[in-house]
């Protein structure tokens, strides 16, 4: 199965919010995966405050450049 989305960042939920704001300003619609919230809803434990940002494969290079320019 071909992957249509690529992970461009994983880490703190606060930093993810900052990155997502900048991506959306540039017309990139990120997908945020919150493993802790998913695990909590399923009744399991997970690392809190950890999220993953994914973007479409054709927007990966642009998204990575935006993240790099943030100097986080």
């Amino acid at each position: 199965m071909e992957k249509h989305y690529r992970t461009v960042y994983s880490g703190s939920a606060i930093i993810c919010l900052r990155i997502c704001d900048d991506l959306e300003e540039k017309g990139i619609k990120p997908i945020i995966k919150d493993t802790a919230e998913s695990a909590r809803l399923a009744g399991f434990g997970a690392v809190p405050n950890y999220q993953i940002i994914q973007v479409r494969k054709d927007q990966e290079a642009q998204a990575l450049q935006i993240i790099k320019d943030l100097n986080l």
Side-chain angles (χ1 to χ4, degrees):
M1 183 172 145
E2 182 181 346
K3 291 184 178 182
H4 298 285
Y5 288 88
R6 303 291 176 139
T7 299
V8 293
Y9 181 82
S10 58
S12 166
I14 295 169
I15 294 175
C16 283
L17 287 174
R18 172 69 167 100
I19 291 170
C20 287
D21 284 345
D22 278 28
L23 291 175
E24 289 173 357
E25 281 181 15
K26 303 292 185 186
I28 298 173
K29 303 241 188 257
I31 294 175
I32 301 170
K33 294 187 175 187
D34 188 333
T35 57
E37 182 63 12
S38 295
R40 184 191 68 78
L41 291 171
F44 301 104
V47 177
N49 196 31
Y50 181 82
Q51 294 181 337
I52 299 168
I53 299 175
Q54 293 185 326
V55 297
R56 287 192 343 236
K57 186 167 61 170
D58 62 322
Q59 296 175 326
E60 179 182 20
Q62 182 184 6
L64 289 171
Q65 185 60 49
I66 291 168
I67 292 168
K68 181 181 175 186
D69 291 345
L70 286 173
N71 294 320
L72 299 174

